[in-house]
Amino acid sequence: MSGVIDEADDDVVDPTSTPSRRFLPILVGVTVGTLVLEAVVALSDGFVLDPTFVALCVILALTTWFGSLVVEENASLSVSSIVLLAAAVLLGPAAAGLVGALHGPAERGPIPVAFRVYNGAMHAASGIVAGLVFRALGTLEPGALGGTSEIVRNLAVPLFLAHLAGVVTNMVLFVGLVVVLDRVPALSVLTRLFATFPAALGHGAVTLILVILWVPADVGPGSLLLVLAPLLVAQWANAQYAEEKLARDRALHVLVAAVEAKAPHLTGHSARVSELTTLMAEHLGLRPQTIADVKMAGMLHDLGQVTLPTDLVRGGRPDGSTLSATYPSRGASLLRGLPFLAGSLDPIVRHRVVLEQKADAGSLAPLLVGVADEFDVLTEVGTPDGVVLTPEEAVARLRTGDRVRDDVVDALEQVLVRRDPGVTAG
């Protein structure tokens, strides 16, 4: 469970954006604080630049460069996190801080220097804290690891507690940054991070095996090859999957482009609805899979319009209302048989219907898409009679009657204020 501001799946802070003025004080504070903590620990304990330190630095740099191994849609197994925890246990807090500091510079991609520095400081702090906890609770002395019970008491339990301390440190620094910069509710970010909890347990288990092989089994640095080599192979395979996913996403964007070609007035509409739906779902603290489903539903909600006559889509046939009402189900029919879109079909089919009837508790996903769609039509696309409303006017219209749940409109309003401070909450 690790927050990094450059991971595509869990991005809240845009890694390619220019750091804002609000970010710089946070960057300075966290970096200086980490440097002071590293200096105090190094002067107190000292550390040795031995082959183990060099080996772990090289492995961490390589694994950070290659990225994380995706376990699920919203969870990943970071080999670099395993290496950092191993450094905390094998080398102590000061050396672990230096190993963690390499995380920022080793990251691949067009990431601003300020974000690299913050990531390095964040992981260095996590390594130092984990090392301090293990030093206080555990030991690697051969005489203390003679049997299973000794290994559990003196190594396994302290290691997992050290891992927990490092995770909490990382989480506090990551969540605090996102909440301050993007005004994202802390609960939303925590929900997404907790989805990676099984992977975090995996980090600890793999590190425990690595340390047992290294010390009690006396395999030494060779344990890096035995434990991490299979993970690195899996990481390479994951990179191939990432390419496949990218190709799939490009294909879906081609479908959106087909809609926009048939209805030029909808250019950009699907992307805006998808973004707004995603932000609303995050604000409401929905499960990561639900967020992913409504994101895709927002992107593809108008796909069925490609099956309608062009003059109807462009508003040239006034008597086509009955036919026009079928486009959501037509779009869903085009997407059936694609397993990764199974959770998006119901929001696509029902995103218009839920705005025409009193919403119930089971209609939240289609309601999010429907509200985002309606808001964008009112404020960007324009109604058939050419009316374009201000955001405040559109929100007020959505509050009229009892068809839209108050919590959904509240989420929309908060997202709009966060995205554009010029928008006033009602």
Side-chain angles (χ1 to χ4, degrees), residues 18-274:
T18 301
S20 67
R21 292 182 179 178
R22 285 179 293 152
F23 174 63
L24 295 180
I26 301 174
L27 170 65
V28 172
V30 171
T31 303
V32 172
T34 302
L35 288 173
V36 170
L37 181 60
E38 173 71 21
V40 170
V41 173
L43 290 174
S44 173
D45 295 352
F47 61 89
V48 180
L49 300 179
D50 58 9
T52 300
F53 175 81
V54 175
L56 289 175
C57 285
V58 171
I59 294 296
L60 182 132
L62 290 175
T63 55
T64 300
W65 175 262
F66 285 112
S68 300
L69 170 63
V70 173
V71 179
E72 297 177 353
E73 179 71 17
N74 296 283
S76 61
L77 181 65
S78 173
V79 180
S80 61
S81 295
I82 296 170
V83 176
L84 181 58
L85 180 57
V89 174
L90 293 171
L91 301 174
L98 293 180
V99 172
L102 290 175
H103 196 288
E107 290 173 304
R108 181 169 56 181
I111 305 172
V113 173
F115 287 156
R116 291 183 182 273
V117 172
Y118 189 85
N119 278 340
M122 184 167 57
H123 285 82
S126 299
I128 294 171
V129 171
L132 288 171
V133 171
F134 184 81
R135 186 186 65 182
L137 303 176
T139 180
L140 294 179
E141 292 296 328
L145 303 174
T148 302
S149 61
E150 288 84 0
I151 290 177
V152 171
R153 182 174 62 254
N154 297 322
L155 175 58
V157 173
L159 183 147
F160 275 98
L161 291 175
H163 183 37
L164 177 62
V167 166
V168 171
T169 301
N170 181 282
M171 184 183 299
V172 169
L173 295 176
F174 178 72
V175 173
L177 176 70
V178 173
V179 170
V180 171
L181 289 193
D182 279 5
R183 299 189 180 92
V184 177
L187 178 61
S188 172
V189 185
L190 287 172
T191 299
R192 298 170 69 184
L193 287 179
F194 278 123
T196 68
F197 186 74
L201 292 178
H203 294 167
V206 173
T207 306
L208 178 61
I209 295 172
L210 173 62
V211 174
I212 289 175
L213 287 174
W214 196 302
V215 181
D218 200 26
V219 176
S223 57
L224 287 170
L225 181 62
L226 293 174
V227 175
L228 297 183
L231 291 176
L232 292 175
V233 172
Q235 201 160 311
W236 173 84
N238 176 68
Q240 312 310 307
Y241 166 77
E243 289 294 330
E244 179 182 340
K245 183 176 182 296
L246 180 60
R248 185 181 71 193
D249 291 343
R250 286 173 177 167
L252 295 178
H253 280 84
V254 169
L255 296 178
V256 174
V259 175
E260 294 177 348
K262 194 161 191 174
H265 65 287
L266 294 179
T267 299
H269 171 65
S270 294
R272 293 191 299 269
V273 171
S274 179

